[in-house]
Amino acid sequence: MRIAFFDTKPYDHLFFDDALRSAGYEATWFEHKLTPDSVGLADGHEAVCVFVNDQVDASVIEGLYERGVRLIALRCAGYNNVDFHAAFGRIHVVRVLGYSPAAVAEHAAAMLLTLNRKTHRAFARTRDFNFSINGLMGFDLEGKTAGIVGTGRIGQILVRILRGFGMRVIAYDPFPAAGSDIEYVPLEQLWRESDVISLHCPLTPDNHHFVDRDAIRLMKPGVILINTSRGALIDTDALLEGLRNRQIGGAGLDVYEEEAEFFFEDKSNDILADERLTLLLAFPNVLLTSHQGFFTREAMQAITETTVDNIRAFEQGAFLENEICYQRMSGGCDRAETRKNCF
Ligand code: NAI
């Protein structure tokens, strides 16, 4: 079994090299992302392993299929970059679910604490022997309201963390967590009542740019908005406007809608071509991290193990537990009960 790994970094080798060797798989490592231009690199491989910013659209899927690829193994949870309708019946798509929800929830909490108490600015000041605290005032989280959008694996852990700070937590999710004591409210009410808002839902065609001008207008002036999910949940132009007119008091962004060209890369010697990203970085109350919410030892270990398990299950023709299949996911299929793959 030969697997082509795309968009790879040195830290991927730290975890995958040994695991692939002991499983008996041969890997080809590409630093390039998978795109329509690079799909030819998949020649001679039965599987490709991709990450969050690889472009697995219908044309790439066609190109992979023509070259004999029959498995796309995502080494991440989100799958908005994969046209899984186009893959259906031709190439199986598997992902890694819940590898370390705590890693992302803790990163969201870190961004909130940093933005609120401005420790990123204090760090820079004291390094320059500037011991002034002017402009560094925050607010007590205790007694304030946090609104969590999406209470799946990550959202539920953040609910626990924020309750630990003494916050009232409200949430919105079209599929509330069964048997939980979370206080669910309509989305409009969450926008209106929250001092802090954190997004933990997948990006779908329905919620693309759902944080838009209208939503921001409803929010409390000075709200802190955290996004560790997917960039395109937020309309960046509306966010910039909200920051300029001070409706948004702070934005913690681990994702950005145009991140694919920049995130995970060292661009420090370039002139950044993305004006909106440059503008965002000019705000003292914007904290941007480069999609590192998942990046802990525990998460990398779990991603590696599940990815190798997913590939092994495919190789053995076993039921693909972690398959992204639009029929199965829309409930129109009993394969999960019969534990058989349909193609
Ligand atoms: P999950 O599948 O456990 O939970 C997602 C929740 O969102 C579900 O409860 C679902 O009902 C809810 N949901 C779906 N559509 C919604 C909508 N329109 N509004 C509100 N809620 C909605 O997913 P998990 O593991 O908690 O991950 C959440 C997201 O975090 C992923 O989709 C991914 O985009 C992002 N992520 C980011 C990482 C990072 O490094 N920054 C790493 C891992 C995931």
Side-chain angles (χ1 to χ4, degrees), residues 99 104 149-154 172-175 200-202 207 228-230 254 291 293-294:
Y99 40 83
V104 185
V149 183
T151 55
R153 295 167 188 80
I154 297 169
Y172 168 77
D173 193 312
F175 306 100
H200 299 287
C201 55
N207 62 16
T228 58
S229 280
R230 285 294 179 266
D254 189 44
H291 209 134
F294 73 99

